[in-house]
Amino acid sequence: MPANSLPPFLRTAAPGWLEVWLEAGREGRIFTYANPQALAIGVGDLVRVRLQGRPHTGLVVASATACPAAMEGRSILPVEAVLQSAAIDPHWQALLEEVARHCHTGLFRCLKSALPPGWLGQARRTPAGQGRILWTVRLNPDTSAVASHPRQQELLDHLASHGGARWLRDLVQEGGFGRSLIGTMERRGLLLKEAIRGPARSGGSGGDGPTPLEAPQRASPAQAEALAAIADAPPGQALLLWGVTGSGKTEVYLQAAARELAAGRSVLILAPEIGLIPQLLDRCRRRFGVAVIEYHSGMGDSERVVAWRRCLEATLQREPCLAVGTRSAVFLPLGHLGLIVLDEEHDASYKQESPMPCYHAREVARLRARLSGARLVLGSATPSLETWWRCQSGPQGLPGDTRLLPLPERIGQRPLPPVRLVDMRQELVDGHRRLISRPLMARLERLQERGEQAVVLVPRRGYRSFLSCRSCGEVVLCPHCDVALTVHRGARAGGQEGREWLRCHWCDHRQEMGDRCGHCGSTAFKPFGAGTQRVMEQLATELEGLRLIRFDRDTTRGRDGHRRLLERFAAGEADVLVGTQMLAKGMDLPAVTLAAVLAADGLLHRPDLRASEQCLQLLLQLAGRAGRGERPGEVLVQTYTPDHPVIRHLVDGRYGAFLAEELELRRQGGMVPFGRACLLRLAGP
């Protein structure tokens, strides 16, 4: 039954009547329950209760020694059981309160967003094919017990020779050790058995067991300097690891993580998208073993609950652990946190758009580092303007609150690939009206004979089209806001295309579509953009025999969709990977020597404050995919506006100069980070 008022969150508890928050309604509600069995229940515990006859998991938020006045004479249901003690600690509570305050939302809504689905309320069923739980057995480093039988010592020696951990099934099937032996040693404290989420596989018990751990790579002078700076940084310090693509940022993360784990502190490593998790997770497990915790929305609800519980148990046992995940993992209940890493910190995917709270994982990580004393490492080849600005000197020459750590060169002194522009206006003048330019076609034709691969970025998905001239490159802009007008289409009627018009997404200015360019008078004037499907069809038609893989949200759906396609491409099953912006993010494919961009203008002319910044970030990130192996790389960019400042900075590679220019523009306009933007959305019948 609902309580009259909302008590302070997580007050000190005492035996008696309990206030329990349940996931009921949009915000959740607090109900009063009795504790007739005098169970040892404290604030922050998860308990099982009943609501309208159905079992629910609830969070104890407060208690009272006397029955609340509003409940006098009414039947109060009892708490049935304690499911998880100390599910929330004061440090985690303080983080959530700060996030709720920053996001201007309710504390319980923030709590609901942070906890894994199924942790409170009714757990949803995990869809089929979403992986399974595998068990690992590892040595217990903290035990003082010794083997009491030669067979027990054999098992300990076997695990030590395999890096300290193996899959349970491999110990039984390949090692010949019985489950009863393993169970006995676990009860004695010699071994630890842990649940690990295994990838979904089609048939068979499959899965390779843990392999011997790889040794750290030799650090370059710049890497060694960055590692020393991270180790010497004061608690709560933020550091920007600005390294060109291929400069070894991930190795810095791993060696910094190893130092924290050895000191008994936990580590959290975040990536912006699920597609980047497989490679990052593989590298962490090769270095630290199979016990690395994975956490993201691509996992089933039960798998996320298992990962959450493992973090809680490690905290209670004061054991360090390493977790890898996407933005939601920033809330994992990791105690004794020593290091937080945000790879590709500039990526917009770290911002939650809905539902509330609309938090930014980078800002939550800053809060968490400050509250926990962990060091925060923000890594990127193209840092966000906000983070770069925080590295600069403040008023009166005071240093910024983020320290800059540069990695200016690629590992092995490999050069950055040169950028070559293709002026699509000239292609039109020469009579070539196709989507793919002649220089790009010629380069793709030579891939197979050279044994090379290419990635082709089609910046169409996720961007609306605009109106531009193919002859001069002119884009139709809003007369009031100086941003590209967006093409809108009405519904089809009677089998015919609906009416088209132009609209400004800032001031709502609208105007009719024209059929001639107002700048040069050309009739080569139409909406801009083509999708991955069309590019695939044209490449298949014009380059017979070229093996293609499409890589976008339509083809990477489902469990491990990103991993499967990348593994096929890395294995040489295709010559060209055609995809959207997810192509540019963090992939290490040594055979790729060509990175091509079709219609870079599709990224430039968006009605968005950060359009130029995000466009250059994406193009530079894509350029970094080429030439990561032994062969040199090349970048080819098709554009109708080769003189655009963003394209100019892409060619010269001076990202720092671009940031300085963009910062000055923002300063003059009073825009982010010099001003705050607020969206007020009103809805109703």
Side-chain angles (χ1 to χ4, degrees), residues 31 110 311 340 346 398 427 436 438 503 578 628 650 685:
F31 297 83
C110 198
C311 293
I340 304 173
H346 64 276
L398 296 175
E427 289 282 297
I436 301 166
R438 292 167 298 176
R503 177 187 171 194
V578 179
R628 297 172 78 94
L650 172 66

Side-chain angles (χ1 to χ4, degrees), residues 250-329:
T250 305
E251 183 63 25
V252 173
Y253 306 154
L254 296 180
Q255 292 195 29
R259 183 176 291 166
E260 294 299 321
L261 293 171
R265 294 185 289 267
S266 293
V267 176
L268 174 62
I269 302 180
L270 302 182
E273 291 193 0
I274 295 174
L276 298 179
I277 293 295
Q279 285 196 39
L280 182 58
L281 194 65
D282 288 347
R283 289 203 62 180
C284 288
R285 285 183 173 160
R286 287 199 301 269
R287 188 67 60 87
F288 302 110
V290 294
V292 174
I293 297 170
E294 178 181 5
Y295 190 86
H296 53 77
S297 60
M299 299 165 62
D301 291 353
S302 61
E303 295 171 315
R304 281 197 274 178
V305 168
V306 167
W308 193 273
R309 187 166 284 121
R310 286 180 62 204
C311 293
L312 276 178
E313 290 171 353
T315 298
L316 293 174
Q317 296 170 14
R318 300 191 67 83
E319 289 184 356
C321 56
L322 171 63
V324 175
T326 51
R327 68 170 179 253
S328 58

Side-chain angles (χ1 to χ4, degrees), residues 563-596:
R563 184 192 289 270
R564 287 196 307 271
L565 288 182
L566 287 178
E567 284 178 349
R568 286 179 53 201
F569 188 64
E573 293 184 24
D575 307 302
V576 181
L577 195 61
V578 179
T580 51
Q581 56 264 34
M582 65 175 68
L583 270 182
K585 299 177 180 179
M587 295 186 299
D588 192 356
L589 301 165
V592 171
T593 57
L594 172 66

Side-chain angles (χ1 to χ4, degrees), residues 157-175:
D157 294 341
H158 179 85
L159 285 173
S161 67
H162 285 78
R166 288 206 77 182
W167 298 119
L168 172 61
R169 64 164 185 270
D170 291 342
L171 280 176
V172 175
Q173 296 171 5
E174 298 176 13

Side-chain angles (χ1 to χ4, degrees), residues 52-80:
Q52 296 181 342
R54 298 174 62 189
H56 279 258
T57 299
L59 175 70
V60 178
V61 296
S63 70
T65 54
C67 180
M71 308 303 296
E72 289 289 348
R74 304 175 67 176
S75 175
I76 302 178
L77 295 175
V79 170
E80 296 183 346

Side-chain angles (χ1 to χ4, degrees), residues 319-532:
E319 289 184 356
C321 56
L322 171 63
V324 175
T326 51
R327 68 170 179 253
S328 58
V330 76
F331 294 112
L332 280 172
L334 293 165
H336 323 298
L337 192 58
L339 178 68
I340 304 173
V341 174
L342 264 78
D343 192 26
E344 310 289 355
E345 68 83 27
H346 64 276
D347 199 290
S349 298
Y350 280 122
K351 175 73 164 66
Q352 172 151 308
E353 298 298 337
S354 66
M356 287 290 282
C358 297
Y359 66 92
H360 198 302
R362 185 178 62 220
E363 301 313 310
V364 176
R366 283 186 182 274
L367 282 172
R368 188 161 192 184
R370 193 176 72 232
L371 293 171
S372 67
R375 297 164 183 85
L376 172 63
V377 176
L378 306 167
S380 179
T382 53
S384 63
L385 186 142
E386 288 93 333
T387 300
W388 176 79
W389 180 57
R390 296 181 78 151
C391 294
Q392 311 305 307
S393 297
Q396 289 83 45
L398 296 175
D401 63 2
T402 303
R403 181 177 174 185
L404 178 61
L405 307 176
L407 295 179
E409 295 180 347
R410 279 183 159 188
I411 295 296
Q413 306 296 313
R414 296 189 185 101
L416 289 170
V419 178
R420 178 184 175 193
L421 299 181
V422 178
D423 190 340
M424 296 301 287
R425 299 173 301 181
Q426 188 59 46
E427 289 282 297
L428 184 63
V429 169
D430 294 343
H432 187 83
R433 296 176 177 269
R434 296 175 184 171
L435 183 64
I436 301 166
S437 66
R438 292 167 298 176
L440 179 54
M441 292 289 287
R443 184 68 177 82
L444 293 174
E445 286 173 348
R446 300 195 297 272
L447 284 177
Q448 287 184 328
E449 65 183 61
R450 294 183 175 184
E452 298 173 348
Q453 291 178 306
V455 292
V456 176
L457 173 69
V458 185
R460 177 73 176 99
R461 189 175 184 91
Y463 299 104
R464 293 184 177 90
S465 57
F466 54 90
L467 200 64
S468 68
C469 177
R470 300 298 197 265
S471 297
C472 69
E474 188 77 6
V475 174
V476 180
L477 302 177
C478 173
H480 311 297
C481 305
D482 200 31
V483 296
L485 293 175
T486 300
V487 178
H488 281 257
R489 293 179 176 86
R492 297 171 184 259
Q496 300 295 318
E497 289 283 354
R499 184 178 70 89
E500 295 184 331
W501 70 93
L502 298 173
R503 177 187 171 194
C504 175
H505 283 198
W506 281 29
C507 72
D508 205 33
H509 166 80
R510 303 179 186 215
Q511 67 184 56
E512 294 297 319
M513 294 264 289
D515 56 5
R516 284 184 176 273
C517 174
H519 185 257
C520 71
S522 171
T523 56
F525 195 60
K526 57 184 179 179
F528 190 92
T532 47

